[in-house]
Amino acid sequence: MNSIYKKKLTNISLFAILFIFLVVTMDRKACASESVPYDTYIYDVYEDIKYTPAAYIPEEVIRGKEWGIGALNSPQDINVTKDGTVYIADTGNNRIVVLDPKFHLIKVIEEFNNNGKKESFSSPSGIYFSLSGNLYIADTGNKRIVLLDEDSNLVNIIENPQSEVLDGEFVFVPLKVSVDYADRVYVIAKNMFQGIMAFDSEGNFTGFSGKIEVNISTSEKVWRIFTTKEQRSKQQLFIPTEFTGMEIDENGFIYATSIDAKGIQSVRRLNPKGEDVIRKGVGGISGDLDWRIRGDYSGASRIIDVVVRDKGLYSIIDSTRGRIFTYDHEGNLLYIFGGMGTQEGTFNTPTAIDTLDDKILVLDSGRNAIMSFTPSKYGSLINEAVGLRYDGDESKAVYCWEEVIKLDSNFELAYVGIGKSYLSSGNNKLAMKYFKLGKNQEYYSMAFKRYRNEVLKNNLQYILTGLIVIILGRKIYQFIRKRNKRRALDV
């Protein structure tokens, strides 16, 4: 009987262990949607992974065969205009493909007229449609930027820039191009480590913007002293890093991405002086905070492109693990989605990112397709809340944040957002509660100081009355004590 009891007890223990394991597993991925072929997660203030609902879900895959022009061939760039027109640099086919907002074919640009001579493109890898209505093409194989009007007529060609600051052996090979509101042209060129090349509206080279300095640690300096030339040649060269992608916001600030092997900062916001003025949240702005050193998909995130969105949002894409990371204007990480694989909705070789209304579009050169993702309720609520915060309407954002918490109780930024609303309305005690839940020490300290001052102010009369009573009591006590001493001496 005792052995049977022990056996039952063992079975119950095993069941309990299995139950706990399932609960823990469900807690890690309970919020992750079953309809997406990738993990969706975020990092908390301690840089630990917290699984979340999917902010964006795969919608459709758009391929060139559907347009009757043959498949895309290693496309390298995508640009969406304000009216929703989609431009694709179909690099391997030496052409530009133009689609309407519903991804129906408008036209294909394969050549243009240059002073009576028909010219074609060679491996165009960058494309940008300016606010003034002109199309800029990084005609990489022909080593030039081609500027066409809306009817595909040649307006200008930028090639072979000349300047004292350029090396005499430098060969201009443009990879990516962007244009600001004043038609100033910015170019990421191959093997150009001095920064992003800038040109005026006439196509004249004017200088560089945003050079990335590489800092060498003391240990690395010492190591280089005691190593041979051959050993040093096998190690990483300490030279500035090339930019990989860029986009310009409505205020003329350049958002530019680069490869950061240390995984600290892979995106910059460059002002007109070329200075980086981006705001950084917890953990930096370089994609994944935790990664494997070896094996498949190892190493820091390799950020290759950026898209600037409404209300201070921007998203970057990692070609190593196929992740898309979205941040707000304060550098707070909002959500992560995407992944590498063979399933629909995963990437093979992501090369560029853009948006169409509330959708996120990713150009995949491996699949030769555009991957479209649409926001879930969870993602839409976060976008709306951040937008309201950006506009300074913290009170209206509270409802969105509360709905986000219903879907994901671990989303710390939602608690912070609610706390900020209470802080701005003067409810400092309640603000402290939410800042504590959001693990935000900075704003908790601010709310605590205000609450302390509020308590002191509201109770000042009682505090002063108490002090007066204490002082008078002490005086009376001293008077009585002196009088009693005198009486004792007289006796």
Side-chain angles (χ1 to χ4, degrees):
M1 189 73 176
N2 190 39
S3 61
I4 295 174
Y5 174 77
K6 286 182 178 180
K7 186 175 181 181
K8 287 183 177 180
L9 187 62
T10 302
N11 291 336
I12 292 172
S13 300
L14 289 172
F15 177 79
I17 292 170
L18 179 61
F19 177 77
I20 292 171
F21 172 77
L22 290 173
V23 168
V24 171
T25 304
M26 288 174 65
D27 181 62
R28 291 185 69 197
K29 295 192 177 183
C31 296
S33 172
E34 295 179 359
S35 63
V36 297
Y38 41 72
D39 288 337
T40 57
Y41 57 96
I42 201 170
Y43 294 97
D44 64 13
V45 69
Y46 304 113
E47 300 186 0
D48 293 326
I49 288 177
K50 297 292 183 182
Y51 289 93
T52 71
Y56 276 75
I57 57 178
E59 183 184 43
E60 61 179 320
V61 180
I62 304 97
R63 295 181 173 88
K65 292 180 180 179
E66 302 162 6
W67 308 317
I69 58 172
L72 298 173
N73 185 359
S74 189
Q76 295 298 309
D77 203 10
I78 184 171
N79 184 240
V80 182
T81 68
K82 285 198 170 184
D83 67 0
T85 303
V86 180
Y87 288 84
I88 303 170
D90 190 7
T91 310
N93 286 324
N94 302 315
R95 64 186 182 181
I96 306 301
V97 177
V98 187
L99 311 173
D100 69 15
K102 294 184 178 180
F103 306 111
H104 298 144
L105 181 68
I106 295 177
K107 62 180 177 179
V108 177
I109 307 173
E110 295 183 291
E111 58 184 15
F112 59 92
N113 190 312
N114 186 1
N115 293 321
K117 179 184 177 182
K118 291 288 185 180
E119 293 195 16
S120 57
F121 306 107
S122 176
S123 301
S125 59
I127 192 161
Y128 199 89
F129 191 85
S130 71
L131 295 175
S132 58
N134 291 320
L135 183 64
Y136 292 74
I137 302 163
D139 192 8
T140 306
N142 288 322
K143 303 178 178 63
R144 63 186 179 181
I145 299 291
V146 176
L147 170 55
L148 305 178
D149 64 17
E150 291 186 84
D151 297 319
S152 303
N153 297 313
L154 179 65
V155 177
N156 194 13
I157 290 179
I158 301 174
E159 59 185 341
N160 192 28
Q162 300 295 314
S163 174
E164 294 179 356
V165 299
L166 293 174
D167 191 300
E169 298 180 358
F170 170 69
V171 178
F172 182 59
V173 182
L175 300 174
K176 302 294 178 183
V177 59
S178 286
V179 186
D180 68 11
Y181 57 83
D183 284 336
R184 290 182 289 256
V185 184
Y186 298 90
V187 177
I188 295 175
K190 186 177 181 180
N191 296 327
M192 174 49 70
F193 303 103
Q194 291 176 266
I196 297 171
M197 301 183 73
F199 299 82
D200 63 22
S201 58
E202 300 299 321
N204 301 306
F205 176 68
T206 58
F208 297 98
S209 180
K211 180 178 179 180
I212 304 175
E213 298 292 347
V214 177
N215 296 320
I216 306 175
S217 66
T218 303
S219 61
E220 288 167 338
K221 291 178 180 178
V222 173
W223 175 86
R224 289 173 67 83
I225 293 174
F226 295 101
T227 53
T228 64
K229 184 177 180 180
E230 183 180 355
Q231 288 175 319
R232 291 195 298 271
S233 66
K234 294 180 180 180
Q235 300 298 319
Q236 179 182 358
L237 296 175
F238 295 101
I239 57 177
T241 304
E242 285 182 286
F243 287 102
T244 55
M246 63 178 164
E247 188 168 27
I248 299 178
D249 68 14
E250 58 185 6
N251 298 314
F253 287 82
I254 304 172
Y255 284 74
T257 57
S258 61
I259 306 300
D260 179 14
K262 295 182 179 179
I264 299 173
Q265 182 179 359
S266 291
V267 59
R268 287 162 173 76
R269 184 173 186 250
L270 306 175
N271 64 17
K273 294 182 179 179
E275 301 166 334
D276 180 23
V277 294
I278 203 165
R279 298 179 66 178
K280 305 177 184 68
V282 176
I285 40 176
S286 194
D288 275 318
L289 304 180
D290 185 26
W291 64 85
R292 292 178 294 178
I293 298 177
R294 296 178 181 176
D296 294 338
Y297 310 128
S298 61
S301 295
R302 186 180 176 88
I303 306 303
I304 55 169
D305 200 15
V306 59
V307 56
V308 180
R309 302 164 61 182
D310 292 334
K311 309 295 184 181
L313 291 177
Y314 60 94
S315 298
I316 57 178
I317 185 164
D318 165 31
S319 66
T320 299
R321 284 173 289 276
R323 309 290 193 203
I324 295 171
F325 304 84
T326 297
Y327 302 85
D328 66 10
H329 69 286
E330 295 178 312
N332 297 307
L333 179 60
L334 303 178
Y335 43 79
I336 304 169
F337 71 93
M340 306 293 275
T342 57
Q343 294 175 275
E344 291 290 319
T346 59
F347 306 122
N348 180 293
T349 311
T351 55
I353 185 171
D354 211 323
T355 57
L356 176 60
D357 297 327
D358 60 350
K359 300 176 183 178
I360 290 180
L361 307 181
V362 176
L363 190 64
D364 192 322
S365 65
R367 291 182 183 272
N368 292 317
I370 301 172
M371 318 278 286
S372 174
F373 297 84
T374 189
S376 64
K377 180 182 178 182
Y378 176 73
S380 295
L381 284 168
I382 294 175
N383 292 344
E384 186 178 356
V386 172
L388 290 168
R389 272 187 57 198
Y390 183 81
D391 291 335
D393 199 342
E394 298 281 5
S395 58
K396 285 187 177 180
V398 169
Y399 170 76
C400 296
W401 287 133
E402 289 174 340
E403 292 300 305
V404 168
I405 290 172
K406 290 178 183 178
L407 297 171
D408 179 13
S409 61
N410 292 321
F411 196 76
E412 294 168 351
L413 193 61
Y415 295 107
V416 175
I418 296 173
K420 285 183 177 180
S421 176
Y422 285 122
L423 187 66
S424 62
S425 65
N427 194 334
N428 300 308
K429 186 176 182 180
L430 204 50
M432 288 167 57
K433 171 188 172 182
Y434 280 96
F435 289 140
K436 185 175 181 179
L437 289 170
K439 301 182 180 67
N440 192 300
Q441 295 182 359
E442 178 185 355
Y443 278 97
Y444 180 87
S445 298
M446 186 186 301
F448 175 77
K449 289 177 182 178
R450 292 186 183 183
Y451 179 66
R452 180 188 61 193
N453 294 337
E454 179 187 334
V455 171
L456 290 173
K457 182 180 179 181
N458 293 338
N459 296 279
L460 184 60
Q461 58 179 339
Y462 302 109
I463 295 171
L464 291 176
T465 301
L467 287 173
I468 292 171
V469 170
I470 292 172
I471 292 171
L472 287 176
R474 183 176 177 81
K475 291 292 185 182
I476 293 171
Y477 170 76
Q478 291 175 344
F479 173 77
I480 294 174
R481 187 179 180 187
K482 287 180 180 179
R483 188 184 63 180
N484 291 337
K485 282 185 178 180
R486 285 198 299 269
R487 286 181 178 177
L489 290 173
D490 289 342
V491 173

